[in-house]
Amino acid sequence: MSLRGLCLGAALLLIVVAVAIPAAEPGAMRFGNVTGVEHVAFVRASVPGGLVGPAHQCAPGDRRDTRACVAPDGAIWMPDSLDGVVYRIKDGQARIVAGCGLKGFRDGPADRAMFDFGVGSYCDCEANADAAGNVYVSDMMNNRLRRILQKPDGAWWVETVSGGPGKGRTPKKGEWIPASELRFGGAARFAVAADGTIYYAQYDGIYMVRNGQGTRLATAEELKEALGPKRSFNDWHVGGSHITPDGVFYWMPGGQEIFRFDTRTGQAEVVAGEGPKQTDMATPRESGFHTVLAVYSPDASLIYTGGGDENTPRRIHQGTVKHVQKDGTFKATKEGDRDNWHLDAVVALGPEGRLYVFPGSYAWSGWLVRVNFAKE
Amino acid sequence: MRKRCPALFAALIGLVGAAPAEAPGDMNLTPPAAVAVECARDGASIQKQPAACFGKNVYLVAWSDGSRMLGKETADIYAARVEAGTGKALDPKGIVVCRAANLQDRPAVAFDGSNFLVAWQDLRGGADYDIYAARVAPDGRVLDPDSFPVVKRAGNQAWPAVAFAGGQYVVVWMDAREYPVYGLYFARVTPDGKVLDGDGLALDIEDPARIAKARPAGPTWLGDKYYWWQHLASRTTPAIASDGKRCLVAYMREYPFAECGRPAVTARLLDPGDPKAGEPVKVTGGPSPAWTGKGWALGGPVWKEGWTPTPMLGAGYLPEGVSLAPASQPRAKAENPSATIDVVAAFGGGYNVGKGSTASFPSAAAFNGKHTLVAMHYAWRPKQGQGPVFAILLARVETDNALKVLDAQPLVAATATNPAAVNAPALAPGPGGECLLVYEDDAETAKCRVAAQIVRP
C-alpha cells in the first residue's frame, strides 16, 4: 500500500471511530427542557448514625444544609452534617465511607475519622472531587479542609489538606506558607482543580493551596479596585466556587453576585447579579440573585443557582438567566411566579449536565433527586 | 470518674422545680471497665453500639465488633458477660455470636428466663439489611452458631429492638418494604428460636392508599408533583420495654410537613397474645422506654423546640394502659407529662446544633426498683475553635408519683475530650436496684472498647 493509500485508510478509520464513539462527557452536556426528575438517594427518615443499603432506602441522620459532588467514576459523595459522616452513592447502593458518627476532629482510617461540618439553615458543607477521585470536604467547625482518598491497598483514609488548630495566619500576596498554618476560617465554599489544587475566596482575598503550601493570589484591595468598593468577597456559608480547566476562578459571595478571577492574568470581573434580587433580566449582570448555591459546568458556560430564598433553580447560559417552570421549560421570570417549579437547592452538576437537587431544603427535605434534560 | 457541676446547681434547681420530698442520695458507680479487653482483630479493637440485658446473675453485653471501612468490612456481632454485683468481666476475649460476611451491627438483647436472644441488622448479602438473631446461654454458649433470620426480604429491615413478653420474644424493626417510607413491623420468636411471624406484622405503617395517591405514575415526575413525599411519613428507630406480659414500643414518627407536623416520639402498647390490639399515641419524653412497675417511663433527650432547639435530658410518663390521644391526627399534641433538665445550662456550652436542627444524642432508660434511670450521650464545645467534650450523663427521675427529675444536676458517668469520645449508652436493670451502664469508650482510631459500670442507687 502506498503512503497516500495508508493515509487515506487511516483517515477513513478515524472517521469511522469518530462516528462510533460517543462524544466525550463535556460534549454530552444537555441544555434542553427538563424531561423529568428522578429519585437518586435518601429518604425522609432520620436515623442517628445513618442507615445504609439501597440508595433509595438510605436514611441518614439529616439531609439538610450540604453540597454534593460527582466523582470521575460516577459516584456521588455527600456529607451529612448531623452525624459528621460522608456518604458515597454508587450503583444504587449507599455507604458511609468516612466518619465514625461523632462530631469532632480525627484524621486516619476513614471509618474512624471525625468531622464537624456544622449545621445551619444554609448549606454550610461542600464536597468536591479531583480528577484522581480524591474527595475534598470543607470541615468548617474544625477550621480545616479534609481529603478522603483510597490508598493503593484499598483502604480509605482521611487527611487534612489545609487549616489547623487555631485561627491560622494570612500570607501576603505571593508568599507561600504551610497549608496547615493557613487561615481557612469558615470557608465552606471552595473549588478543586483536576490536579487537586484548591482555590477559595476568603477574608482578605483569593487563596490557593497546592502540595501542602498555601498562598494568596489576590488581595481584597485589588478585588475592590476591580469589582467595586462596597462588595464582600468572602465566599463562605453561601454561594459556590469553581475553577475552570484554563484557570478562571468563579465565586458567588453571599449568594448574590457571581465574580470571576483569572489566575493567569490577575484580572477580576462581575459575571452576574447586579440587578434586582431574584429577577431574570436581559443579561446575567442585570439580573439579581438571592440564593445559597451555585454549581458550574467544567468550563462555566453553564451555571445553575438555587436554594435558600430562591426556591426555583435558575440557569445562566448563553447570556441569559431563566427560571425552570413546572412543565420543565425555562422562562425569564421573577421568584414567586406561580408557574415556577419550587425544586429548590442545587447541590451538584454531573459531568453529563444532569443536575442534582435537594428539594425543600428548609422544610421537608430528605431526598436527593436528579434532573434530566432533553437535547436542545 | 464522676464529675459534678456545682456552679450551676442553683440555676438548675429553678429549672427542675421544687426540691424532691425525699432526697435521693448519691448514685454510686463502679469504675469503668472494658467488657472484653482482650478482644482484638487485625491489631485493632473496635467495639460499637453496645446493648445489654440481665439474666441469671449475669448481664449479657452485645456489640458490633470490627471495621466498617468500605470494601474491608469486618463488623461482626460479639458478646461478653458481666457479673452482677461486682461488674467483673467474665469473657475478656469476647464471645463470637455471628461472623457472617459484610456488616452486622446494631445488636439488641433480651432474656426469657433461661437464655438471651441477641438480634441485629445484617448486611451479609451486600444489597440490603435483614434482621438476624441467635440465642446465647447464661454460661456464654451460643445456641444458634449459624444464627437465624427473623425477617429476610427485599429492601432494608433494620434497627431491631427486642423484649420478652407473654412467653415470647418480640422483635421490632424498621422496614422499607413500602416505598418511599419506613414502617415498623414486628415478629414473635419462641424461646426455642422459632420465628412465628416470618414476614412480620405491621406495628405502625403509612397507609398504602395514601402512598398510592401521592406517588407519580412513573419513575420520573415534573413540577406538578413537586416534592410529592411530603404527604407521607416514616416510622423509625424503635426501642422496646416489657412489663412481662406486654411491650411498649417507642419510636420516632415523622408527621407530614405538608400538614404542619414535625417528627415526634410516638409509642404503641403491644400485646404478643393479641398483636392487633393497641394504637399509636403521640407522647412527650425521650425515645427510650422502661417499665416502672406501675407505668411506662420514656427517657432521653427532649428537644425544646424553637428556631434553635435546645437539648434537655428528661423523661415522660405514661400510665399503665396507655390510652392517650391517638397519633393518627397530625396536629394531636402529646398529653402525658414530662420533666427535663437543660443540659446546655448545666455544662455551659451548646453544641451548635444549628437553626431548626436537632442532634443525635443516643439515650437509654431503666427502672432500678425505685426510680427511672436515664442515660444520655451529650457533647459540647467549651470554647469556639476547641474540640468537643463528650459525656455520658445520668439522672434519676421520679416517675410513679409526681413526675420529677431528682438529680438537680446530671451525673457525668464518663467523659472524654476529642479526639477521644464516649458515646452510645445502654442500660440494663439488674438485681438489688443496680443497673448496668455500658457505652463506647472511644480512645483512638484503633481502640474503641465497650466499657461497663454498675450504677447503684
Side-chain angles (χ1 to χ4, degrees), chain A residues 341, chain B residues 212-217 221-230:
Chain A
W341 183 350
Chain B
K213 185 180 176 185
R215 195 170 170 175
W221 63 93
L222 285 173
D224 56 339
K225 276 290 183 181
Y226 275 110
Y227 32 107
W228 53 271
W229 57 93
Q230 67 168 324

Side-chain angles (χ1 to χ4, degrees), chain B residues 298-351:
Chain B
L298 290 155
V302 177
W303 291 89
K304 185 180 174 185
E305 290 191 359
W307 186 233
T308 303
T310 304
M312 320 280 276
L313 190 163
Y317 183 74
L318 286 167
E320 185 182 7
V322 190
S323 57
L324 302 173
S328 54
Q329 299 299 319
R331 288 174 187 271
K333 286 187 177 177
E335 295 171 9
N336 61 314
S338 67
T340 58
I341 297 177
D342 184 338
V343 292
V344 174
F347 294 99
Y351 197 44

